[in-house]
């Protein structure tokens, strides 16, 4: 698709006088019209704008170079990772049980999406697939917050770095394709980084085990979500994952509490600061983050998305230092682990960005 330059207000209807004005302000650029005629004369822009206004009846948006789909995916991906960096912080700020956090997070998110999207029609099979993905996401959240409650924010988010390792194993099995030696190699770099950061500290063994299980479930969610979201708008995907997943999560909460009993009361209504933190958590770290993630998954592989999410612990730990002033001792092994995690993400980003066949 060839791009041409037009300066104007997006979303307004085009009239004859506006066509003349825009044609005079247009910058010369060779374009192809929908009828296949190549135009290299600035005076032919009136022809082009009139043709486009008949087709869409809206003015063309301000000029911006058409970005490569992969670049768009990486921008959306890194924005979602940045928002994800605040998730662990909310897990500390909100004083509720992890089960309550997840249940109300899904409830508030469903209500917000219902207001903006309504109930779009999807097939029953697609609906059940999305609900199943929502259940996996809810289980991942419960394990993730459980890891934070059982240890600390750093342990919970660093365990999340193992998602790339599990994806490199699960994705070939689910999609019945060959294992990638490079993906396994990048994942092992991440594992080495996680071990360096933990320094095999036995004090947080229980929190680490829950965190590892959380990353495995999240890897499975991302792979299934990539398949289930094909042909469905991002907002619709998230709407049915949150609402359908809410009912399934409600059913599995007793089973979860059987295996992971909690010291805090389960049935608690959020109020005061907890209520505001939950609303912000639902709006920014759920709706905003997962809409960006779903869009990124349509342009990038599940492994690339999950490996890039290894940056989440780095963002969360930095934010925790700045906001909470955590007095965690920083040593050489910590910095080495962060460098290894960043290296794995950088290598996979270069590999995914490089054109095929080069």
């Amino acid at each position: 698709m060839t791009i041409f330059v037009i300066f104007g207000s997006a979303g307004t209807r085009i009239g004859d006088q506006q066509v003349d004005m825009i044609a005079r302000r247009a910058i010369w650029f060779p374009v192809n019209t929908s009828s296949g005629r190549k135009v290299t004369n600035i005076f032919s822009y009136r022809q082009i704008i009139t043709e486009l206004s008949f087709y869409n009846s809206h003015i063309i948006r301000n000029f911006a170079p058409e970005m490569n789909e992969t670049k768009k995916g990486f921008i959306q991906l890194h924005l979602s990772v940045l928002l994800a960096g605040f998730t662990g912080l909310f897990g500390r700020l909100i004083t509720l049980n992890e089960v309550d956090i997840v249940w109300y997070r899904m409830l508030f998110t469903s209500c917000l999406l219902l207001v903006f999207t309504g109930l779009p029609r999807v097939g029953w099979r697609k609906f059940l697939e999305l609900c199943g993905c929502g259940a996996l996401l809810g289980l991942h959240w419960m394990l993730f917050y459980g890891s934070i409650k059982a240890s600390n924010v750093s342990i919970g988010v660093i365990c999340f770095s193992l998602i790339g390792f599990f994806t490199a194993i699960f994705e070939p099995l689910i999609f019945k394709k060959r294992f990638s030696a490079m993906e396994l190699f990048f994942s092992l770099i991440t594992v080495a980084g996680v071990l360096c950061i933990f320094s095999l500290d036995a004090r947080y063994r229980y929190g680490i085990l829950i965190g590892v299980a959380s990353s495995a479930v999240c890897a499975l969610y991302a792979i299934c979500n990539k398949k289930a979201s094909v042909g469905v708008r991002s907002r619709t995907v998230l709407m049915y994952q949150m609402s359908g997943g809410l009912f399934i999560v409600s059913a599995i909460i007793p089973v979860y509490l059987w295996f992971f009993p909690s010291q805090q009361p389960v049935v608690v209504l959020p109020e005061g600061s907890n209520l505001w933190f939950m609303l912000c958590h639902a709006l920014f770290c759920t709706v905003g983050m997962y809409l960006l993630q779903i869009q990124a998954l349509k342009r990038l592989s599940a492994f690339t998305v999950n490996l890039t999410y290894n940056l989440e612990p780095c963002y969360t730990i930095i934010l925790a230092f700045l906001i909470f002033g955590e007095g965690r001792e920083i040593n050489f092994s910590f910095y080495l682990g962060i460098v290894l995690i960043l290296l794995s993400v950088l290598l996979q980003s270069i590999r995914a960005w490089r054109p095929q066949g080069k």
Side-chain angles (χ1 to χ4, degrees):
M1 177 181 178
T2 309
I3 302 174
F4 49 91
V5 185
I6 294 175
F7 294 92
S9 301
T12 55
R13 206 171 278 277
I14 299 177
D16 290 336
Q17 292 182 351
Q18 288 174 304
V19 170
D20 290 331
M21 179 185 67
I22 296 168
R24 289 194 300 269
R25 295 172 62 189
I27 297 176
W28 178 88
F29 198 91
V31 300
N32 291 323
T33 65
S34 60
S35 58
R37 300 188 301 275
K38 187 171 184 179
V39 181
T40 57
N41 192 326
I42 189 170
F43 299 106
S44 298
Y45 265 90
R46 176 185 176 88
Q47 230 176 357
I48 299 167
I49 299 170
T50 305
E51 181 177 350
L52 288 169
S53 65
F54 174 78
Y55 175 77
N56 197 23
S57 75
H58 286 81
I59 204 165
I60 310 300
R61 293 181 181 272
N62 291 351
F63 172 72
E66 185 178 2
M67 299 180 65
N68 181 278
E69 289 298 307
T70 301
K71 294 180 182 178
K72 286 183 181 179
F74 272 109
I75 291 174
Q76 293 164 339
L77 174 58
H78 283 279
L79 285 175
S80 69
V81 174
L82 181 61
L83 289 174
F86 288 90
T87 302
L89 304 184
F90 279 112
R92 173 174 172 174
L93 290 171
I94 300 170
T95 58
L96 302 180
N97 178 280
E98 68 266 24
V99 171
D100 292 319
I101 294 176
V102 173
W103 197 87
Y104 282 109
R105 183 181 183 181
M106 301 187 85
L107 176 65
F108 290 156
T109 303
S110 300
C111 293
L112 288 170
L113 289 169
L114 183 63
V115 172
F116 292 104
T117 66
L119 291 173
R121 290 186 178 181
V122 294
W124 275 106
R125 181 176 180 180
K126 182 65 69 175
F127 172 75
L128 293 176
E129 289 177 355
L130 295 176
C131 289
C133 290
L136 289 174
L137 181 59
L139 179 58
H140 154 64
W141 283 346
M142 285 191 287
L143 292 169
F144 174 72
Y145 292 122
S147 176
I148 291 177
K149 300 290 184 181
S151 52
N152 56 41
V153 175
S154 299
I155 295 296
V157 297
I158 292 172
C159 283
F160 189 73
S161 300
L162 294 174
I163 186 174
F165 172 75
F166 288 111
T167 305
I169 298 175
F170 292 160
E171 191 172 20
L173 294 175
I174 293 175
F175 291 110
K176 297 180 180 179
K177 64 180 185 179
R178 297 179 61 183
F179 286 88
S180 171
M182 292 300 296
E183 290 183 357
L184 290 172
F185 173 70
F186 295 153
S187 301
L188 290 176
I189 295 177
T190 301
V191 172
V194 172
L195 292 178
C196 287
I197 293 173
F198 284 152
S199 298
L200 300 178
D201 195 337
R203 292 178 299 168
Y204 303 119
R205 185 173 298 170
Y206 181 65
I208 291 172
L209 291 175
I210 300 176
V212 170
S214 170
S215 64
V217 175
C218 189
L220 189 60
Y221 158 74
I223 295 169
C224 295
N225 184 49
K226 181 177 178 65
K227 183 178 180 181
S229 62
V230 174
V232 185
R233 296 182 64 183
S234 302
R235 288 179 295 179
T236 304
V237 170
L238 191 56
M239 168 64 194
Y240 287 117
Q241 284 184 356
M242 292 296 105
S243 57
L246 178 63
F247 290 99
I248 301 177
V249 165
S250 300
I252 66 176
I253 283 177
V255 179
Y256 173 85
L257 292 175
W258 175 267
F259 288 99
F260 305 101
S262 175
Q263 301 298 324
Q264 296 176 272
V266 176
V267 182
V268 178
L269 294 175
E271 58 184 13
S273 60
N274 281 333
L275 177 60
W276 289 109
F277 287 144
M278 286 298 303
L279 289 173
C280 292
H281 196 196
L283 180 60
F284 297 107
C285 296
T286 308
V287 177
M289 181 186 73
Y290 281 98
L291 285 178
L292 289 168
Q293 184 190 104
I294 291 169
Q295 291 170 1
L297 275 168
K298 294 179 179 180
R299 296 181 170 95
L300 304 170
S301 71
F303 176 78
T304 299
V305 171
N306 287 344
L307 188 67
T308 305
Y309 261 81
N310 291 340
L311 292 173
E312 179 186 344
C314 304
Y315 292 152
T316 303
I317 292 172
I318 292 172
L319 290 171
F321 289 161
L322 295 176
I323 297 174
F324 299 124
E326 289 188 352
R328 187 180 187 279
E329 181 181 356
I330 301 300
N331 51 31
F332 175 75
S333 64
F334 176 85
Y335 287 114
L336 178 60
I338 293 294
V339 169
L340 288 174
I341 292 173
L342 292 173
L343 177 63
S344 67
V345 175
L346 177 62
L347 291 175
Q348 173 60 15
S349 298
I350 294 173
R351 178 172 175 263
W353 205 307
R354 184 178 300 166
Q356 298 295 324
K358 292 188 179 181

